[in-house]
Structures are given as C-alpha cells and as structure tokens.
C-alpha cells in the first residue's frame, strides 16, 4: 500500500474564499469511504486577483481514492446546488501525490 494525497485547488473570486471553505465545515460522505484518512481545507487570501482553497484528502492507497472519485456519492456531492446566486468558483485543478516521506510528532512515534 502506498499512501497518497489528492489536492483539489479551487480558484475563487477575491474575498469569497471563506464562503467556499464554510461548505466543508460539516463532514460528508467522503469521510465514510474505506481508505480515507483525513481531509484538510486550506485558504489563501494572498492572491491579488483571487482566493485559493485547497481541499487535501489523504488516502491509504490510490485504489481507495479512485473508488471514491468514481462513486455516486462523489458525483452527488459535486452536483449539489450551491446557495442562491452565481457561483464564486472560477475553476479548479486536481493534483495527486504519492506520500514518500512522513514525519509524525515524537509523542506519536514513541507511543507505538
């Protein structure tokens, strides 16, 4: 098994990043999938033109990510209607990485 991370970079209208990150506050179906380890949602307001939201999910192995990616639950979650009004999302890009090195806090290592 090879841990992997998928990062969905979402480009958002300037000043609307908080609106998008709020959509991830409540755990949804991805958290129930086999092989799912964690999700982190990151926000950068540093760009002059736009905000950037990164949705990072870590998986035990690519096979679990692929199963979720092609699932009905994933399609349903991404087809869900956004709150009223035009979407502030300008676009997105998904990148995947194999985890090659991982350092844990010393307490975690010693307790094993």
């Amino acid at each position: 098994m090879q841990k992997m991370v998928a990062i969905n970079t979402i480009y958002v209208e300037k000043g609307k990043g908080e609106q998008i990150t709020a959509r991830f506050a409540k755990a949804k179906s991805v958290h129930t999938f086999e092989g799912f380890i964690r999700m982190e949602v990151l926000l950068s307001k540093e760009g002059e033109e736009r905000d950037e939201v990164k949705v990072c999910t870590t998986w035990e192995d690519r096979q679990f990510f692929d199963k979720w990616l092609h699932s009905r639950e994933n399609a349903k979650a991404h087809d869900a209607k956004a709150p009223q009004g035009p979407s502030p999302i300008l676009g997105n890009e998904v990148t995947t990485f194999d985890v090659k090195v991982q350092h844990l806090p010393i307490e975690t290592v010693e307790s094993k």
Side-chain angles (χ1 to χ4, degrees):
M1 291 232 178
Q2 171 71 58
K3 280 188 189 174
M4 60 90 56
V5 173
I7 301 175
N8 183 8
T9 302
I10 305 170
Y11 306 107
V12 182
E13 291 176 7
K14 188 70 183 159
K16 303 282 179 91
E18 295 283 351
Q19 178 184 339
I20 298 304
T21 60
R23 295 181 188 180
F24 294 91
K26 183 179 177 188
K28 298 188 177 73
S29 66
V30 69
H31 301 85
T32 67
F33 267 75
E34 179 182 8
F36 174 83
I37 296 173
R38 79 176 146 268
M39 174 187 282
E40 296 173 304
V41 180
L42 314 174
L43 172 61
S44 175
K45 299 178 183 180
E46 294 179 10
E48 291 183 28
E49 306 274 322
R50 63 188 182 198
D51 290 350
E52 227 177 77
V53 175
K54 292 195 182 278
V55 181
C56 309
T57 54
T58 303
W59 299 84
E60 290 177 15
D61 191 81
R62 176 173 286 281
Q63 68 177 334
F64 299 117
F65 169 73
D66 288 341
K67 185 175 178 182
W68 169 79
L69 185 64
H70 301 348
S71 71
R72 284 183 60 172
E73 291 86 351
N74 179 37
K76 185 178 174 183
H78 287 94
D79 286 343
K81 299 291 182 208
Q84 282 189 357
S87 174
I89 295 175
L90 304 171
N92 79 301
E93 180 180 2
V94 176
T95 310
T96 61
F97 301 87
D98 291 335
V99 176
K100 294 298 185 182
V101 177
Q102 177 177 303
H103 294 281
L104 300 172
I106 191 74
E107 303 83 41
T108 304
V109 174
E110 289 177 350
S111 66
K112 288 188 175 187

